[in-house]
Amino acid sequence: MNTTPTTKALVLVGRGRYQDRWHDDAATGHRVAGELAAAGLEPEVRGTAPAALDDATGLALLVVVAGTGRADPDWDGGDERWAPFHARLAALVAEDGVPLLALHQAANTFTDAPGWAGLIGGRWVPGLSMHPPIGPAVFRPVPGEDHPVVAGLDPVEAFDERYCLLQPEPGTRVLLTTEHEGVEHPVVWQAPGPGRVLYDGLGHGTRSYDSPSRRELLRREVSWLRGGTP
């Protein structure tokens, strides 16, 4: 019997109805895949498609880099065609125990899947959530928080967007915040479960990952999601 831990990772990038015009999901997904490879994983990048998860087995990690884009039933089918995809994704996490990392605009993706916000522990609310102009940004661990992802972590600095007024679900454990107009806004959190799930609001584009402190945060997230201690 083979008991070797799996190192397969799947980076799911938005296309069609899940690729918004503000983000280069493919470029960012491939950059994230490079960071996963550096962490010892074997990543594969796939675009969202109804059958994209049909053969997704033996995963050590699932990463979602997707948003909200072109919903065109004549092109990629209506919501009913995508229902098995969303059911499969939820089952991978809740039943198979695959760790999930949802990045940046993933708070505003899969809006046709009612359970997605609960799975990742929160969401972007159109008309409420916002961000100031992209630029040099600082993201700080919550004071006194001893979660392995942030314990001993210095503030993260990156050229990025600062998502504000996201709406975490009850029971979410906020790990990092960012300040805007004197208010601290949650940007990284652990979802209530089931399973190991993190939402990380950083990562607007590849430039975010040029930052060593941002890459360190990602490394810690991946380590914790896989059951380790950073």
Side-chain angles (χ1 to χ4, degrees):
M1 179 177 178
N2 186 2
T3 59
T4 303
T6 181
T7 56
K8 291 171 54 179
L10 179 59
V11 181
L12 201 60
V13 301
R15 63 180 295 273
R17 61 167 45 198
Y18 305 123
Q19 180 181 6
D20 64 53
R21 64 182 184 273
W22 298 282
H23 301 92
D24 188 340
D25 295 342
T28 303
H30 281 281
R31 179 64 186 269
V32 170
E35 299 300 330
L36 298 183
L41 290 165
E42 299 176 276
E44 177 186 355
V45 179
R46 291 186 185 179
T48 50
L53 299 176
D54 288 359
D55 63 347
T57 58
L59 295 179
L61 180 66
L62 175 62
V63 181
V64 173
V65 184
T68 298
R70 170 189 172 192
D72 184 351
D74 291 334
W75 178 62
D76 65 357
D79 291 355
E80 69 284 350
R81 186 183 180 212
W82 287 87
F85 166 88
H86 295 301
R88 174 64 174 148
L89 194 160
L92 283 171
V93 178
E95 299 174 16
D96 296 351
V98 176
L100 171 65
L101 176 60
L103 293 174
H104 195 58
Q105 71 269 29
N108 190 34
T109 195
F110 303 156
T111 55
D112 52 324
W116 176 246
L119 188 66
I120 68 169
R123 64 190 180 110
W124 170 285
V125 180
L128 174 66
S129 304
M130 52 77 68
H131 62 79
I134 193 169
V138 180
F139 308 89
R140 294 180 175 85
V142 172
E145 177 57 67
D146 63 354
H147 192 287
V149 169
V150 295
L153 180 69
D154 292 328
V156 175
E157 300 182 10
F159 187 91
D160 216 327
E161 289 176 337
R162 290 176 289 145
Y163 275 5
C164 300
L165 297 172
L166 298 173
Q167 299 298 293
E169 295 279 311
T172 291
R173 184 174 179 177
V174 177
L175 304 180
L176 286 97
T177 63
T178 193
E179 185 273 334
H180 178 59
E181 296 183 343
V183 177
E184 294 292 329
H185 297 269
V187 288
V188 178
W189 60 67
Q190 178 188 344
R196 288 202 172 200
V197 178
L198 291 174
Y199 170 74
D200 178 345
L202 285 70
H204 170 79
T206 59
R207 189 170 176 181
S208 174
Y209 297 91
D210 292 341
S211 162
S213 58
R214 197 278 175 271
R215 296 196 303 273
E216 170 65 10
L217 172 62
L218 180 65
R219 184 192 68 79
R220 284 167 167 256
E221 291 169 342
V222 170
S223 179
W224 180 80
L225 285 165
R226 298 187 66 205
T229 301

